[in-house]
Amino acid sequence: MEIPASLLGAFATEGEIFFFKKGCPVGIENHPHILVRHNGNYLFLNTCSSSLDTAIRLARIRRWDNRTYPVISKSAVNKLMRDSYVNCNEFVELTEDEFGNLTRRGLILREVGGGTIPEADMIRIREGIDLSVNISDEDKDRILR
């Protein structure tokens, strides 16, 4: 018996890390994404990258607050391969069904080893989203409240 796609999405929890594989039509392929908010039927994810210089350069060029690119140190809990920044200026929004279908197709994977982001880092990520001038107040309400 096959598990319904929406049920696969329903079991995703905030702070979990997912890897978006090459060919994934959303997010940034070949990058980890953190599930920041599971609000009803919707999942909101932010991209991680270990290219720390890129984050610094983007913040400077766009005159965005550096706190919108919080750096998460690799640890045994999050199981990140390298220290990585989280882009709090953009997000991916998926329904539980969409998430489940992409998972079933093998385009979104739970990060190897089941890494999760500790609450202290999740607080910094939420603060980064709240500080972003690139995310509308309406979207901030859906993600943060």
Side-chain angles (χ1 to χ4, degrees):
M1 184 170 112
E2 190 170 289
I3 297 172
S6 60
L7 197 55
L8 290 172
F11 283 113
T13 59
E14 293 174 16
E16 275 189 279
I17 302 172
F18 297 92
F19 189 79
F20 286 36
K21 289 183 65 175
K22 183 175 174 133
C24 190
V26 296
I28 298 180
E29 61 182 33
N30 294 324
H31 280 75
H33 292 67
I34 296 171
L35 179 52
V36 175
R37 180 82 165 131
H38 193 163
N39 188 1
N41 186 42
Y42 294 93
L43 289 81
F44 299 93
L45 301 106
N46 290 79
T47 307
C48 301
S49 176
S50 59
S51 302
L52 301 176
D53 291 342
T54 301
I56 294 166
R57 190 171 60 251
L58 282 173
R60 212 177 279 143
I61 290 170
R62 295 179 177 160
R63 299 185 195 279
W64 287 346
D65 192 315
N66 284 338
R67 293 174 292 175
T68 64
Y69 293 99
V71 175
I72 309 297
S73 299
K74 69 178 183 171
S75 73
V77 174
N78 63 37
K79 298 185 182 5
L80 291 170
M81 302 291 279
R82 298 178 202 99
D83 293 352
S84 300
Y85 74 86
V86 180
N87 183 352
C88 295
N89 295 293
E90 296 175 359
F91 64 93
V92 175
E93 178 181 353
L94 295 169
T95 65
E96 290 175 346
D97 246 3
E98 292 166 331
F99 181 88
N101 284 325
L102 291 170
T103 300
R104 180 175 285 133
R105 291 174 45 204
L107 296 172
I108 296 179
L109 306 173
R110 278 192 162 73
E111 193 60 292
V112 177
T116 58
I117 301 298
E119 185 57 28
D121 288 330
M122 289 299 293
I123 289 169
R124 292 176 45 237
I125 293 168
R126 290 183 197 108
E127 287 172 348
I129 292 167
D130 200 34
L131 289 168
S132 176
V133 296
N134 199 50
I135 296 180
S136 72
D137 288 340
E138 178 183 289
D139 284 337
K140 287 178 187 181
D141 283 344
R142 294 180 323 123
I143 299 168
L144 300 173
R145 289 148 188 76

